[in-house]
Amino acid sequence: MLTRREAAIRLDIPPEMAARNGIPARLTEAELAQIEEIPPAWLAQSRANRTGRKPVWVELTCIVCGYAEVARPKKWWPDFSFVACDHHDEDDLPLVRLGWVRGRYEGIGSRFVGILDEQVG
Ligand SMILES: [Zn+2]
């Protein structure tokens, strides 16, 4: 069985859209396959409208340990250089290059910090 969130990830749609359009809280692989095979009008419409826009889901993968999760990107997230679990030591992260500054963004996904390295000047 899949949860609605898992189905939304697979269909590449927001979970609210899945709920609003009657995707059940739990469904089988076969039910999901059928939705993908014969997309209902709202899904076809949403796909047609989405070309070239920001992704609905992104995979966050820790650069240190490889832990990964799929999350909805927030509007305020910059294009991170990389992400890492928030419990890793600063020393475990790749070094900042000379002449670059590092920005840290807390609260990314369930357990990540986002790191943005930018060249100065
Ligand atoms: Zn990690």
Side-chain angles (χ1 to χ4, degrees):
M1 286 299 258
L2 299 159
T3 64
R4 182 186 291 138
R5 183 175 193 274
E6 287 164 341
I9 292 170
R10 294 265 291 273
L11 294 169
D12 200 26
I13 57 170
E16 312 83 67
M17 183 187 282
R20 199 167 55 234
N21 289 287
I23 301 284
R26 299 204 164 267
L27 65 170
T28 63
E29 281 284 349
E31 285 167 332
L32 180 63
Q34 195 177 6
I35 294 168
E36 286 189 301
E37 207 168 307
I38 311 161
W42 60 266
L43 181 57
Q45 180 80 51
S46 138
R47 286 181 169 170
N49 289 346
R50 267 195 355 95
T51 358
R53 291 229 219 114
K54 284 190 96 166
V56 181
W57 298 93
V58 290
E59 185 167 276
L60 302 168
T61 306
C62 172
I63 199 164
V64 179
C65 70
Y67 174 85
E69 77 178 24
V70 178
R72 300 290 314 280
K74 303 278 191 294
K75 282 202 179 70
W76 56 270
W77 292 8
D79 204 358
F80 296 121
S81 307
F82 59 85
V83 297
C85 309
D86 55 16
H87 62 80
H88 294 305
D89 285 338
E90 198 67 39
D91 292 350
D92 293 331
L93 306 181
L95 293 173
V96 191
R97 274 172 283 184
L98 208 63
W100 291 57
V101 289
R102 174 160 290 177
R104 278 175 66 91
Y105 296 80
E106 309 282 338
I108 306 303
S110 68
R111 58 184 273 182
F112 292 94
V113 287
I115 303 292
L116 179 64
D117 287 346
E118 289 179 298
Q119 200 160 11
V120 182

